[in-house]
Amino acid sequence: MSEKFYDVIVIGGGAIGCGIARELSRYRCNAALLEKEEDVCSGTSKANSAIVHAGYDAMPGTLKAKLNVRGNAMMEQLSKDLDFDFKRNSSLVLCFSEEDRPALHALYERGLANGVPDLKLISGDEVRKREPNITDEVVEALYAPTGGIVCPFGLTIALAENACENGVDFYRSTGVTRIEKTGKGYLLHTNQGDFRATYVVNAAGVYADELHNMVSARKLHIVPRRGDYCLLDKEAGNHVSATVFQLPGKYGKGILVSPTVHGNLLVGPTAIDQDDKDLTATTAEGLAEAMEKATKSVKNIPFRQVITSFAGLRAHEDGDDFVLGEAEDAEGFFDAAGIESPGLSCTPAIGEYVATMVAQKGGYAKKDDFKATRQGIVRAASLPVEERAELIRKNPAYGTIICRCEGVSEAEIVDAVTRTLGARSLDGIKRRVRQGMGRCQAGFCTPRAMEILARETGMTMEEICKNREGSEMIKG
């Protein structure tokens, strides 16, 4: 295979990599993104709490603190520009005892130091007025009205599509196996051939330390920290309206209870350090811990309505802060590593921060024709009756419902497959239109989704995978 040459290559197609790629696409540089999985949003970004944190938790002066507050402030306009789901539902941090009040007040002061707007300390009684299902043990809470919830798939895919539309080349199923420093830039060896770039941005999640350590003597060390979650049916989605956190204290690490932007209820995560960077299997013990600890905050959680469980990995770096910027001893190699919570909240700010550094280093000027907006997939079921009827009149496939739980039509699945960076797997469809994310968890709609994917791509049914190669749905 012939080598491909770029000014800048981003490694990693999660929220951070796609956010950086989108910001780089503002500049006059030839850029590409390499993702080892079959689709963007296939690692940490696909399995997390989907929270946009207000910014009171990180220590003042850290990158986490600075970029959390900035990212939170950017998220609402970005959601409008790129058409993904985001809601400011506010957040609460609960205090359960008199002896823990000083720790809650310290968190409040930290939030003020970080510049978080409109923070308030409220009594336990006021908490219960806002959220009737909060437990009687709560004596006080920190209220943050700027806290929010987001669709992590929607955010990541929107950033990727917009970056691609603005000229960034995306290579999926392209894993970097080795990086070499050259006279001017870097040679990247991949399973799909070699790439050369003047500048490299390392946004490889739990693998970011391994890539960094190929070119730098100043080593990074990332521990995959697994979190187990339970997702409840939409019937439970109104059990709380705010995102409810626990103040870490004598009760151990806090577990959150939160609505999602799609109307479900989410409980988790646990925090279990492990060596395996790919293991995302849940455990009975982890799920039991999440459910048991959640009841400390919120009473009467209808756990009989759990429709699925999942686990995600956070990239915890030993330094306990984001690692952002040019490696000291590897000129032109930029890290976006150690991006754990509140990484998702920081996505637009990290994209801006890193892309600006790269553009300044390369002397790249901004484009005059950057397209700042992107139109998402029309969700027919959410439209008013008259608009939906008109849509079906123009395209009858909007009236053919494939996924009954989520009301997803054939036309929406076709759009998910045929649009920019379209889905090439069942998980790719699921992340774009939520086919298979409802109560039956794809029990009924999978065969029809496979038929549509095969028809629109020319793949055979035997070639269709759930996600990566080796997860074929039909064998034999």
Side-chain angles (χ1 to χ4, degrees):
M1 301 180 187
S2 60
E3 294 178 348
K4 298 180 177 67
F5 295 82
Y6 288 93
D7 296 322
V8 187
I9 288 178
V10 179
I11 305 172
I16 300 302
C18 292
I20 294 168
R22 193 253 181 175
E23 288 299 316
L24 280 172
S25 74
R26 295 179 183 272
Y27 296 92
R28 297 191 180 282
C29 64
N30 186 22
L33 182 146
L34 313 183
E35 166 54 46
K36 70 184 181 72
E37 300 294 346
E38 97 293 345
D39 199 6
V40 298
C41 198
S42 291
T44 295
S45 300
K46 81 174 189 301
N48 54 64
S49 303
I51 303 301
V52 178
H53 294 274
Y56 48 73
D57 189 50
M59 293 301 295
T62 61
L63 285 168
K64 284 183 178 180
K66 172 186 173 183
L67 296 173
N68 188 165
V69 175
R70 171 68 177 155
N72 179 294
M74 296 172 72
M75 195 67 76
E76 189 162 1
Q77 185 58 51
L78 186 67
S79 71
K80 294 173 182 175
D81 290 344
L82 299 186
D83 195 19
F84 60 84
D85 291 314
F86 166 73
K87 181 182 180 182
R88 289 203 187 280
N89 67 317
S90 76
S91 62
L92 293 163
V93 184
L94 307 182
C95 175
F96 300 98
S97 68
E98 294 296 329
E99 65 191 83
D100 282 337
R101 280 188 196 263
L104 186 75
H105 292 196
L107 198 62
Y108 169 71
E109 294 296 334
R110 191 185 302 171
L112 295 182
N114 288 344
V116 179
D118 305 323
L119 282 178
K120 267 200 313 187
L121 290 165
I122 61 176
S123 69
D125 288 339
E126 187 174 346
V127 174
R128 283 179 284 274
K129 284 181 184 176
R130 292 174 180 272
E131 299 285 353
N133 288 313
I134 294 296
T135 59
D136 296 339
E137 287 82 3
V138 174
V139 297
E140 194 176 16
L142 175 62
Y143 170 63
T146 58
I149 48 180
V150 69
C151 175
F153 324 116
L155 166 63
T156 305
I157 290 166
L159 290 167
E161 288 182 7
N162 189 238
C164 188
E165 288 167 358
N166 280 297
V168 176
D169 291 337
F170 278 70
Y171 295 88
R172 295 178 285 185
S173 299
T174 304
V176 176
T177 55
R178 188 160 53 93
I179 304 175
E180 294 179 35
K181 184 79 174 78
T182 63
K184 185 182 179 183
Y186 293 86
L187 173 62
L188 280 63
H189 300 281
T190 82
N191 61 318
Q192 302 293 340
D194 292 345
F195 293 76
R196 288 186 184 271
T198 307
Y199 304 109
V200 171
V201 178
N202 170 25
V206 293
Y207 286 95
D209 57 344
E210 296 183 16
L211 298 185
H212 168 95
N213 294 343
M214 291 177 185
V215 300
S216 174
R218 298 178 67 87
K219 303 304 183 186
L220 297 180
H221 179 241
I222 287 173
V223 175
R225 182 164 289 170
R226 195 186 83 240
D228 293 3
Y229 294 87
C230 296
L231 185 72
L232 281 71
D233 189 65
K234 291 181 179 180
E235 286 188 0
N238 293 324
H239 202 70
V240 293
S241 59
T243 298
V244 179
F245 296 96
Q246 298 174 355
L247 178 68
K250 66 179 182 180
Y251 302 108
K253 180 155 180 68
I255 295 288
L256 68 83
V257 181
S258 180
T260 73
V261 288
H262 301 112
N264 298 88
L265 189 73
L266 185 67
V267 171
T270 54
I272 302 154
D273 289 349
Q274 61 185 43
D275 295 326
D276 193 325
K277 295 191 175 188
D278 290 310
L279 180 63
T280 56
T282 57
T283 65
E285 295 79 12
L287 297 173
E289 177 189 347
M291 290 188 285
E292 189 272 327
K293 288 186 175 180
T295 62
K296 189 74 186 173
S297 304
V298 180
K299 59 190 176 185
N300 302 321
I301 299 173
F303 286 116
R304 289 176 62 86
Q305 294 188 41
V306 170
I307 60 172
T308 191
S309 59
F310 63 92
L313 302 179
R314 291 101 87 183
H316 176 72
E317 209 282 319
D318 291 350
D320 206 29
D321 196 8
F322 299 154
V323 181
L324 299 175
E326 191 173 16
E328 290 181 21
D329 59 346
E331 185 178 1
F333 189 93
F334 292 83
D335 285 306
I339 312 297
E340 57 183 338
S341 180
L344 187 69
S345 316
C346 301
T347 294
I350 292 175
E352 177 184 66
Y353 184 85
V354 175
T356 299
M357 283 193 290
V358 176
Q360 289 175 347
K361 180 81 174 181
Y364 304 128
K366 284 195 172 181
K367 297 174 180 174
D368 297 324
D369 58 349
F370 173 74
K371 182 183 177 185
T373 60
R374 164 262 190 192
Q375 181 62 53
I377 295 172
V378 174
R379 288 169 288 188
S382 66
L383 296 175
V385 174
E386 298 81 6
E387 289 184 35
R388 188 178 181 189
E390 178 62 15
L391 195 65
I392 293 170
R393 188 188 65 79
K394 292 179 179 176
N395 182 355
Y398 280 105
T400 303
I401 301 302
I402 304 300
C403 173
R404 289 176 285 174
C405 296
E406 292 290 323
V408 181
S409 69
E410 179 179 359
E412 290 158 70
I413 295 176
V414 171
D415 193 354
V417 174
T418 59
R419 67 182 11 241
T420 301
L421 294 178
R424 291 297 178 269
S425 68
L426 291 178
D427 279 359
I429 295 172
K430 178 171 72 173
R431 286 192 285 268
R432 285 163 176 78
V433 293
R434 294 186 57 78
Q435 174 265 320
M437 281 195 179
R439 184 177 295 176
C440 88
Q441 289 290 291
F444 290 94
C445 54
T446 296
R448 284 290 290 122
M450 291 176 65
E451 289 170 4
I452 296 167
L453 182 58
R455 183 187 74 205
E456 298 298 327
T457 63
M459 299 166 67
T460 66
M461 295 288 276
E462 290 78 13
E463 290 174 320
I464 291 175
C465 295
K466 184 180 187 299
N467 40 63
R468 65 178 64 169
E469 185 178 350
S471 64
E472 290 82 6
M473 299 298 292
I474 296 176
K475 295 284 189 181

